[in-house]
Amino acid sequence: QVRLVESGGGLVQVGGSLRLSCAASGGDFSTYNMGWYRQYPRKARELVAGITSGDVTNYADSVKVRFTISRDNGKNTVYLQMNSLKPEDTAVYYCKIERGYWSTWGQGTQVTVSS
């Protein structure tokens, strides 16, 4: 059973930065595709950034340039570096890992950007 634990969320002012971490335990981390998603209240969860097992990345248009996803297979961790934060980035951020038809989610971490 793979478990994911997100951390690094919190309260930050407009224009500030945060780095989210998602640590995985169990499983073969290096073979997984991974992604960061965010969810606004009463809205569906949406993809923010993804990274494949081959380190191919993709981003939502709203976060391109500002956000960077990366992974450290030696630490079984995926990161989301968030810069130039905006109030509309306020959401609960979730880490997801997947391989084939299987996937699992972390518990989420709150990011709040105040103006």
Side-chain angles (χ1 to χ4, degrees):
Q1 180 70 36
V2 177
R3 293 180 59 254
L4 301 176
V5 179
E6 298 101 332
S7 62
L11 177 64
V12 66
Q13 292 183 327
V14 170
S17 297
L18 289 172
R19 189 174 78 156
L20 305 184
S21 298
C22 174
S25 60
D28 189 356
F29 181 84
S30 65
T31 68
Y32 301 142
N33 298 323
M34 308 196 68
W36 285 98
Y37 293 71
R38 65 187 177 191
Q39 188 167 24
Y40 303 113
R42 302 172 299 281
K43 296 291 187 178
R45 203 166 295 180
E46 62 184 40
L47 178 68
V48 175
I51 185 167
T52 71
S53 60
D55 290 329
V56 177
T57 60
N58 65 285
Y59 299 90
D61 288 342
S62 60
V63 306
K64 286 180 179 176
V65 179
R66 298 189 299 119
F67 289 11
T68 302
I69 188 171
S70 62
R71 65 192 297 160
D72 186 336
N73 290 338
K75 296 181 179 179
N76 286 359
T77 301
V78 63
Y79 304 96
L80 185 67
Q81 179 66 47
M82 304 186 294
N83 299 324
S84 302
L85 284 162
K86 305 175 180 179
E88 51 263 44
D89 296 319
T90 296
V92 178
Y93 285 72
Y94 296 88
C95 180
K96 181 186 179 184
I97 62 175
E98 62 182 51
R99 186 174 64 185
Y101 295 105
W102 171 88
S103 65
T104 194
W105 296 90
Q107 85 287 347
T109 185
Q110 176 71 46
V111 171
T112 302
V113 184
S114 63
S115 60

